[in-house]
Amino acid sequence: MKISKLLLATLIASSMACGETPKAEENGATPFTAVKGKDVPTMTNCTIPPPEVPAPLTPGNDSLTPPPAPRHSDPEGCPACGMG
Amino acid sequence: MKKKIELGISLMPEGAFLQAVLPLFASGDVDVVEWSFDTFPKYERVPDWIKGMLQEFGDAGKLLGHGVYYSVFNALWSEQQQAWLDRAKLATQQHSYTHISEHFGFMSSDNYHASFPLPISLSKVALEVGKDRLKRLADAVQLPVGIENLAFSFSKKDVFEQGVFIDKLLEVVDGFILLDLHNIYCQAHNFGVEILELVELYPLEKVKEIHLSGGSWQESIYRKEQVRRDTHDGKVPKILMDVLPKVLAKCPHVEFVILERLGHTFSSPESVKQYQNDFYQIKSIIDNTPERIVGNWGKPFEFETEPVNSKSLYQEQILLAQMLKTNSVADIKKSNRFEYWNVSDWDVAMVDTAKQISDKWSD
């Protein structure tokens, strides 16, 4: 599905806040339409503090893959309920 | 009506995930997105770029909802389950979901922040509990609802019965199956069964959605072979790519294929490339698959105001969770305190694996 230019701009801005896209820009292409599977930004310049984007609570499905997220006992607190 | 099978991805909130999937969205190759609406405590905390995705894909009829924490088989109706339903209802009012799915099984504790999902054996009581919960879900969201097969079982008997169990469960709401092929792969490997043999134990005419993902291997002191885990952190196994065309051919009403990967697992540029390669390999398979006849899902139903409860099953669910925390594998294997599970059939390596996970995630 073709997404709107506005949404694409939002995605690019959010992604850029967490990385850089040197290869694509060197090629003269827009950062995220250059080559499928290539020119992917890295996390090297990420400046967004993790608490603003809570870790996902989505587990795998095997009954054995609980959420890789902080819980009540974790220092950073549980993102599901706010308790620390 | 016929339509082409749509390929999508499961959304994750991390920046690394966004960076990995952005080329796919920019190229317009993502047909549909799936969102686990219950993984954020408050909608306000969902990143803006995900909200934008939910709005745009929802408006286009390309948004699927996938729950994690409902705990369909919790045998004693809980406040958490009601709160979850309220949240699911709110989610469907905020965005236009096409359908909602949940997992087979139950959570090991009422404190869902410190628990993990466990499988359940087929019994009349468990089935009645599950039907009640599924009807409540369908009533809350007013959408087609489905159940995903689990990757973990304690016994081969449960592996072979899961398809029948889910089939009986879905009858009450005319629901659909979310067939997770990596979960099937885990069960097939862990219990020495062929993948397609297991697939064919499910009512494939009810499959509306398929999940694909990677996983990992875990050593066991109880057997030579490793245990396969559904950890959503690696490439899709080649064997699943090989069987996908055959599985698609067996599912006359499948509409969606979703690629899953946890957002924090993109540790290198290679892992990103691998994920994108998986996406395009699946796309190629789908592009070579004939259109499917869209199925009809959902039917009117009635349910009692009072939830179906079973104190005896609930007590055993609590007991099982407790024994996994405190008892040895040998103790569990020789326990005679269960009526709803045949503990003597359980594979010791799987019991041990469940204990390890319990140690890690239970309070």
Side-chain angles (χ1 to χ4, degrees):
Chain A
M1 179 182 124
K2 287 289 181 189
I3 61 175
S4 69
K5 290 180 180 177
L6 177 61
L7 178 56
L8 181 59
T10 301
L11 299 185
I12 290 173
S14 299
S15 179
M16 293 291 280
C18 272
E20 55 184 358
T21 58
K23 283 192 211 170
E25 287 167 349
E26 285 167 11
N27 291 340
T30 54
F32 304 104
T33 57
V35 181
K36 290 172 184 174
K38 296 183 178 178
D39 302 320
V40 178
T42 67
M43 290 292 287
T44 52
N45 287 348
C46 183
T47 56
I48 293 182
E52 293 300 315
V53 182
L57 289 168
T58 310
N61 310 317
D62 70 348
S63 319
L64 296 175
T65 315
R71 296 170 297 141
H72 289 318
S73 56
D74 292 315
E76 52 271 58
C78 176
C81 67
M83 293 174 64
Chain B
M1 183 181 77
K2 284 188 172 184
K3 76 166 196 174
K4 183 177 177 296
I5 297 170
E6 297 180 350
L7 172 59
I9 60 172
S10 170
L11 292 177
M12 294 285 139
E14 292 88 348
F17 176 83
L18 173 56
Q19 290 165 350
V21 300
L22 193 41
L24 311 181
F25 282 104
S27 61
D29 289 328
V30 181
D31 300 319
V32 60
V33 296
E34 184 164 272
W35 174 239
S36 291
F37 52 85
D38 58 353
T39 55
F40 270 78
K42 292 180 180 176
Y43 181 76
E44 293 72 29
R45 293 180 65 180
V46 175
D48 286 342
W49 65 269
I50 286 187
K51 288 178 183 170
M53 291 267 201
L54 301 182
Q55 189 65 47
E56 202 152 300
F57 278 82
D59 289 348
K62 308 284 186 183
L63 173 62
L64 314 180
H66 187 48
V68 178
Y69 295 110
Y70 182 36
S71 195
V72 171
F73 286 96
N74 189 340
L76 201 60
W77 183 251
S78 68
E79 290 180 3
Q80 289 93 331
Q81 284 174 300
Q82 185 57 55
W84 189 96
L85 280 188
D86 294 343
R87 194 171 177 178
K89 184 174 184 177
L90 179 61
T92 58
Q93 291 167 343
Q94 289 168 322
H95 296 289
S96 299
Y97 288 88
T98 297
H99 65 224
I100 302 290
S101 57
E102 244 295 351
H103 297 81
F104 184 80
F106 69 98
M107 300 300 279
S108 64
S109 157
D110 283 346
N111 178 5
Y112 294 164
H113 309 315
S115 65
F116 58 99
L118 282 165
I120 192 159
S121 295
L122 176 57
S123 68
K124 185 178 178 184
V125 171
L127 185 59
E128 290 309 309
V129 168
K131 284 180 176 178
D132 176 77
R133 308 308 187 244
L134 206 54
K135 284 191 284 189
R136 288 174 194 283
L137 171 57
D139 179 67
V141 300
Q142 294 290 305
L143 289 170
V145 296
I147 291 291
E148 175 181 341
N149 58 300
L150 272 191
F152 179 80
S153 290
F154 285 113
S155 71
K156 185 181 269 190
K157 179 173 178 290
D158 284 353
V159 170
F160 277 88
E161 280 186 353
Q162 197 176 120
V164 174
F165 199 160
I166 292 177
D167 189 21
K168 290 177 182 291
L169 184 67
L170 292 172
E171 282 173 3
V172 73
V173 293
D174 193 19
F176 64 87
I177 290 178
L178 194 176
L179 187 67
D180 189 308
L181 283 185
H182 190 267
N183 291 357
I184 292 281
Y185 174 53
C186 291
Q187 301 272 31
H189 172 83
N190 293 338
F191 290 95
V193 187
E194 292 295 321
I195 291 173
L196 284 176
E197 183 184 352
L198 275 189
V199 166
E200 287 171 353
L201 293 175
Y202 287 78
L204 299 177
E205 72 281 2
K206 292 186 177 180
V207 174
K208 188 184 186 195
E209 181 179 344
I210 285 176
H211 274 179
L212 284 164
S213 68
S216 56
W217 300 100
Q218 178 176 302
E219 299 292 338
S220 172
I221 60 171
Y222 289 93
R223 66 184 195 191
K224 285 191 300 183
E225 302 85 11
Q226 295 172 307
V227 172
R228 182 67 182 182
R229 299 261 316 271
D230 183 54
T231 43
H232 290 193
D233 56 355
K235 70 187 292 289
V236 177
K238 180 180 179 299
I239 193 169
L240 291 187
M241 293 294 191
D242 292 342
V243 302
L244 180 59
K246 296 171 189 168
V247 174
L248 291 175
K250 292 174 183 289
C251 300
H253 303 303
V254 61
E255 294 182 48
F256 310 106
V257 176
I258 300 293
L259 176 61
E260 297 183 296
R261 174 125 182 183
L262 289 177
H264 69 284
T265 64
F266 293 102
S267 56
S268 66
E270 289 72 29
S271 63
V272 172
K273 284 182 184 175
Q274 187 60 66
Y275 173 84
Q276 295 170 342
N277 288 343
D278 282 349
F279 180 89
Y280 282 108
Q281 190 174 352
I282 297 167
K283 178 173 168 49
S284 173
I285 292 169
I286 288 176
D287 286 346
N288 286 296
T289 302
E291 292 183 331
R292 286 290 179 274
I293 300 170
V294 176
N296 293 312
W297 313 98
K299 67 180 182 184
F301 58 86
E302 295 179 354
F303 65 92
E304 301 296 327
T305 306
E306 286 300 312
V308 172
N309 287 322
S310 169
K311 287 184 179 176
S312 58
L313 176 56
Y314 180 71
Q315 286 169 350
E316 289 197 14
Q317 290 174 336
I318 297 298
L319 177 64
L320 172 59
Q322 186 61 38
M323 289 189 78
L324 287 172
K325 278 199 285 188
T326 59
N327 292 62
S328 68
V329 172
D331 282 346
I332 295 171
K333 274 288 291 178
K334 66 186 179 188
S335 174
N336 59 3
R337 299 171 65 187
F338 293 96
E339 288 186 10
Y340 293 98
W341 282 277
N342 191 351
V343 178
S344 62
D345 284 347
W346 287 5
D347 183 301
V348 288
M350 302 311 291
V351 177
D352 181 52
T353 306
K355 275 186 61 63
Q356 291 181 40
I357 300 301
S358 176
D359 289 345
K360 181 176 178 183
W361 290 101
S362 299
D363 276 343

